[in-house]
Amino acid sequence: MTLPPSRDAAGADLLFLREERLRLAQTLMFLVGRDMAEAVAPVLEEVGLGRAHHRVLQALAFSPGIPVTHLQDILGVTKQSLGRTLHELEARQYLETRRGRNDKRQKLLYLSAAGKAAEARLFAVVRQRLVTAYREAGGTAVEGFRRVMRGMLSDHSRSLLAEEPSGRREVSHGG
C-alpha cells in the first residue's frame, strides 16, 4: 500500500508562501486588472464613458439605492470627483436619484433603465472572461479563489460587501 506524501516535511504545505510565489500573485493581479480594463475599454468608448463612470455603474448594480456618501466610501474618492461623475451620469440619464424614506435630505442612487443596459454590456465582457477562467479552473479552484480574494479584503471592505443599502446584513455573494 502506498501512503500519500508526507506533509510533515518542514514547509511542504507552505511553498505558496515563498517570496517568488507572492510576487507572481501580485504581478498576476496587476495584469488581470490591466487586461480587464482593456477588455471593457471598447464598450466604454462606444457609450462615451470613462473608468470612473464604470466604477459607479458597477457599485450601483451591486448596491442599488445607496446614499451618495456610502458610494463615496465604497469608491474611495473625493466628494468633488464623485459629484462630477454622478452629474455626467445623470445628464446621460443613466442614473436616478430618490429621497430617503426616513431622511428626505438623503439622496439615494439607482441605475435607470439606460444605466442598467450600459452596465449589463460592460458586465457581459467581464462575465465572459470569468466564465472562461472558472470553467478552466474548476469548482474547487473557484472556491479557493473566492476565499483568497475575501481574505485580502480589509475589514472595512468586508463590511461594505456585507451591507445592503439599508445597512442590514445580507447573505454573502457566493463565498
Side-chain angles (χ1 to χ4, degrees), residues 25-96:
Q26 178 184 14
T27 301
L28 289 170
M29 286 188 302
F30 168 78
L31 293 173
V32 166
R34 184 202 65 194
D35 289 353
M36 294 306 289
E38 286 177 7
V40 298
V43 177
L44 288 172
E45 186 175 332
E46 186 179 317
V47 296
L49 297 176
R51 290 182 182 179
H53 302 104
H54 183 206
R55 287 190 294 273
V56 169
L57 294 175
Q58 284 180 300
L60 293 180
F62 181 77
S63 298
I66 60 175
V68 174
T69 54
H70 191 67
L71 180 60
Q72 181 184 348
D73 192 31
I74 288 170
L75 298 176
V77 296
T78 65
K79 194 175 195 178
Q80 184 179 19
S81 174
L82 181 58
R84 281 190 304 269
T85 303
L86 292 177
H87 179 72
E88 291 169 10
L89 289 171
E90 281 179 306
R92 293 171 167 266
Q93 299 181 342
Y94 283 179
L95 176 47
E96 295 175 358

